[in-house]
Amino acid sequence: LQVFVVEKAGRRSLFLAGLMGMLISAVAMTVGLALLSQFAWMSYVSMIAIFLFVIFFEVGPGPIPWFIVAELFSQGPRPAAIAAAGFCNWACNFIVGMCFQYIADLCGPYVFVIFAALLFIFFLFAYFKVPETKGKSFEEIAAVFRRRKLPTKAMTELEDLRGREEA
């Protein structure tokens, strides 16, 4: 079912929807936790926000990066790119898991503001920099990156390979 939804809706739109849903859920968790001492029913707001956070993660930021990483690289460097993405994913999970309790003790009910701020940054990055890869070949995706005016002298993998052949 998920593959059908990804193919129908597109990777980028699901990724952005997931990030925005997680952002709204993180804000709702913060509000729920901050007002819990004043309103007992805020515990329900916090619980619903947690469930929505997980649902939105499973819609976008959970699976979609694996689709995108696999489609951004050609067959040769793809295994290394997936390995690097997996390492980054699990390293960040480990860091959050190890540090969350300390940050929660430090920030109190506002601990999810950090997540909301990071999600906002991730949303902006994905909105402006991540192309839609649905139904596109590697060459078409590489052409999207070539058309963008990057401030540095970025080189696509295809251009790098062409340069090596000429040398």
mmCIF file of all heavy atoms in Angstrom, residues 66 69-70 73-88 157:
data_model
loop_
_atom_site.group_PDB
_atom_site.id
_atom_site.type_symbol
_atom_site.label_atom_id
_atom_site.label_comp_id
_atom_site.label_asym_id
_atom_site.label_seq_id
_atom_site.Cartn_x
_atom_site.Cartn_y
_atom_site.Cartn_z
ATOM 1 N N TRP A 66 14.743 7.018 1.972
ATOM 2 C CA TRP A 66 15.341 5.817 1.373
ATOM 3 C C TRP A 66 15.020 5.740 -0.119
ATOM 4 O O TRP A 66 15.857 5.328 -0.921
ATOM 5 C CB TRP A 66 14.863 4.565 2.114
ATOM 6 C CG TRP A 66 15.255 4.606 3.541
ATOM 7 C CD1 TRP A 66 14.441 4.804 4.616
ATOM 8 C CD2 TRP A 66 16.584 4.515 4.071
ATOM 9 N NE1 TRP A 66 15.169 4.824 5.778
ATOM 10 C CE2 TRP A 66 16.493 4.642 5.468
ATOM 11 C CE3 TRP A 66 17.836 4.329 3.500
ATOM 12 C CZ2 TRP A 66 17.604 4.595 6.300
ATOM 13 C CZ3 TRP A 66 18.939 4.274 4.335
ATOM 14 C CH2 TRP A 66 18.826 4.408 5.709
ATOM 15 N N VAL A 69 17.269 8.686 -1.759
ATOM 16 C CA VAL A 69 18.698 8.358 -1.837
ATOM 17 C C VAL A 69 18.944 7.334 -2.930
ATOM 18 O O VAL A 69 19.900 7.452 -3.697
ATOM 19 C CB VAL A 69 19.220 7.850 -0.471
ATOM 20 C CG1 VAL A 69 20.608 7.251 -0.602
ATOM 21 C CG2 VAL A 69 19.248 8.990 0.528
ATOM 22 N N ALA A 70 18.072 6.351 -3.021
ATOM 23 C CA ALA A 70 18.243 5.321 -4.052
ATOM 24 C C ALA A 70 18.080 5.889 -5.456
ATOM 25 O O ALA A 70 18.676 5.369 -6.409
ATOM 26 C CB ALA A 70 17.251 4.186 -3.824
ATOM 27 N N PHE A 73 21.308 8.609 -6.932
ATOM 28 C CA PHE A 73 22.623 8.109 -7.322
ATOM 29 C C PHE A 73 22.490 7.008 -8.351
ATOM 30 O O PHE A 73 21.560 6.197 -8.290
ATOM 31 C CB PHE A 73 23.383 7.592 -6.087
ATOM 32 C CG PHE A 73 23.703 8.665 -5.100
ATOM 33 C CD1 PHE A 73 22.838 8.953 -4.057
ATOM 34 C CD2 PHE A 73 24.864 9.409 -5.228
ATOM 35 C CE1 PHE A 73 23.122 9.956 -3.153
ATOM 36 C CE2 PHE A 73 25.151 10.426 -4.328
ATOM 37 C CZ PHE A 73 24.280 10.692 -3.287
ATOM 38 N N SER A 74 23.441 6.962 -9.274
ATOM 39 C CA SER A 74 23.445 5.906 -10.280
ATOM 40 C C SER A 74 23.881 4.601 -9.632
ATOM 41 O O SER A 74 24.262 4.557 -8.458
ATOM 42 C CB SER A 74 24.366 6.281 -11.440
ATOM 43 O OG SER A 74 25.705 6.329 -10.992
ATOM 44 N N GLN A 75 23.864 3.550 -10.414
ATOM 45 C CA GLN A 75 24.099 2.208 -9.886
ATOM 46 C C GLN A 75 25.440 2.058 -9.170
ATOM 47 O O GLN A 75 25.521 1.400 -8.152
ATOM 48 C CB GLN A 75 24.006 1.187 -11.030
ATOM 49 C CG GLN A 75 23.841 -0.233 -10.574
ATOM 50 C CD GLN A 75 22.535 -0.472 -9.830
ATOM 51 O OE1 GLN A 75 21.547 0.200 -10.052
ATOM 52 N NE2 GLN A 75 22.550 -1.417 -8.912
ATOM 53 N N GLY A 76 26.505 2.684 -9.675
ATOM 54 C CA GLY A 76 27.836 2.517 -9.086
ATOM 55 C C GLY A 76 27.956 3.015 -7.655
ATOM 56 O O GLY A 76 28.286 2.243 -6.751
ATOM 57 N N PRO A 77 27.692 4.288 -7.403
ATOM 58 C CA PRO A 77 27.853 4.814 -6.035
ATOM 59 C C PRO A 77 26.639 4.615 -5.133
ATOM 60 O O PRO A 77 26.677 4.979 -3.967
ATOM 61 C CB PRO A 77 28.120 6.296 -6.252
ATOM 62 C CG PRO A 77 27.419 6.606 -7.522
ATOM 63 C CD PRO A 77 27.542 5.365 -8.375
ATOM 64 N N ARG A 78 25.563 4.037 -5.643
ATOM 65 C CA ARG A 78 24.342 3.891 -4.844
ATOM 66 C C ARG A 78 24.559 3.124 -3.540
ATOM 67 O O ARG A 78 24.092 3.574 -2.482
ATOM 68 C CB ARG A 78 23.237 3.245 -5.665
ATOM 69 C CG ARG A 78 21.902 3.222 -4.951
ATOM 70 C CD ARG A 78 20.790 2.714 -5.830
ATOM 71 N NE ARG A 78 20.637 3.586 -6.977
ATOM 72 C CZ ARG A 78 20.174 3.180 -8.156
ATOM 73 N NH1 ARG A 78 19.829 1.931 -8.349
ATOM 74 N NH2 ARG A 78 20.061 4.043 -9.146
ATOM 75 N N PRO A 79 25.253 1.982 -3.544
ATOM 76 C CA PRO A 79 25.444 1.275 -2.261
ATOM 77 C C PRO A 79 26.186 2.118 -1.217
ATOM 78 O O PRO A 79 25.811 2.107 -0.036
ATOM 79 C CB PRO A 79 26.253 0.031 -2.647
ATOM 80 C CG PRO A 79 25.965 -0.183 -4.085
ATOM 81 C CD PRO A 79 25.755 1.181 -4.665
ATOM 82 N N ALA A 80 27.194 2.850 -1.643
ATOM 83 C CA ALA A 80 27.928 3.702 -0.699
ATOM 84 C C ALA A 80 27.039 4.830 -0.183
ATOM 85 O O ALA A 80 27.082 5.177 1.004
ATOM 86 C CB ALA A 80 29.179 4.267 -1.362
ATOM 87 N N ALA A 81 26.221 5.400 -1.064
ATOM 88 C CA ALA A 81 25.317 6.482 -0.652
ATOM 89 C C ALA A 81 24.274 5.965 0.340
ATOM 90 O O ALA A 81 23.976 6.629 1.344
ATOM 91 C CB ALA A 81 24.630 7.088 -1.875
ATOM 92 N N ILE A 82 23.738 4.786 0.081
ATOM 93 C CA ILE A 82 22.750 4.211 0.997
ATOM 94 C C ILE A 82 23.405 3.870 2.333
ATOM 95 O O ILE A 82 22.811 4.072 3.400
ATOM 96 C CB ILE A 82 22.059 2.995 0.357
ATOM 97 C CG1 ILE A 82 21.155 3.488 -0.786
ATOM 98 C CG2 ILE A 82 21.249 2.211 1.379
ATOM 99 C CD1 ILE A 82 20.522 2.392 -1.611
ATOM 100 N N ALA A 83 24.636 3.376 2.288
ATOM 101 C CA ALA A 83 25.361 3.073 3.527
ATOM 102 C C ALA A 83 25.616 4.352 4.333
ATOM 103 O O ALA A 83 25.429 4.370 5.560
ATOM 104 C CB ALA A 83 26.676 2.374 3.227
ATOM 105 N N ALA A 84 26.019 5.424 3.658
ATOM 106 C CA ALA A 84 26.257 6.698 4.345
ATOM 107 C C ALA A 84 24.954 7.249 4.925
ATOM 108 O O ALA A 84 24.922 7.741 6.059
ATOM 109 C CB ALA A 84 26.885 7.709 3.388
ATOM 110 N N ALA A 85 23.864 7.144 4.159
ATOM 111 C CA ALA A 85 22.565 7.612 4.653
ATOM 112 C C ALA A 85 22.121 6.788 5.854
ATOM 113 O O ALA A 85 21.606 7.330 6.838
ATOM 114 C CB ALA A 85 21.520 7.539 3.544
ATOM 115 N N GLY A 86 22.312 5.494 5.796
ATOM 116 C CA GLY A 86 21.952 4.628 6.918
ATOM 117 C C GLY A 86 22.761 4.945 8.157
ATOM 118 O O GLY A 86 22.227 4.995 9.273
ATOM 119 N N PHE A 87 24.054 5.186 7.964
ATOM 120 C CA PHE A 87 24.900 5.546 9.100
ATOM 121 C C PHE A 87 24.434 6.854 9.728
ATOM 122 O O PHE A 87 24.315 6.957 10.956
ATOM 123 C CB PHE A 87 26.366 5.661 8.669
ATOM 124 C CG PHE A 87 27.247 6.172 9.772
ATOM 125 C CD1 PHE A 87 27.639 5.333 10.810
ATOM 126 C CD2 PHE A 87 27.653 7.502 9.798
ATOM 127 C CE1 PHE A 87 28.435 5.811 11.841
ATOM 128 C CE2 PHE A 87 28.448 7.979 10.827
ATOM 129 C CZ PHE A 87 28.843 7.141 11.847
ATOM 130 N N CYS A 88 24.175 7.859 8.895
ATOM 131 C CA CYS A 88 23.699 9.150 9.418
ATOM 132 C C CYS A 88 22.371 8.982 10.161
ATOM 133 O O CYS A 88 22.179 9.545 11.239
ATOM 134 C CB CYS A 88 23.537 10.153 8.287
ATOM 135 S SG CYS A 88 25.085 10.735 7.603
ATOM 136 N N GLU A 157 27.616 13.701 -10.566
ATOM 137 C CA GLU A 157 28.391 12.475 -10.764
ATOM 138 C C GLU A 157 28.633 12.226 -12.246
ATOM 139 O O GLU A 157 29.721 11.836 -12.655
ATOM 140 C CB GLU A 157 27.625 11.308 -10.151
ATOM 141 C CG GLU A 157 28.281 9.986 -10.378
ATOM 142 C CD GLU A 157 27.366 8.859 -9.958
ATOM 143 O OE1 GLU A 157 26.327 9.110 -9.346
ATOM 144 O OE2 GLU A 157 27.725 7.730 -10.259
#
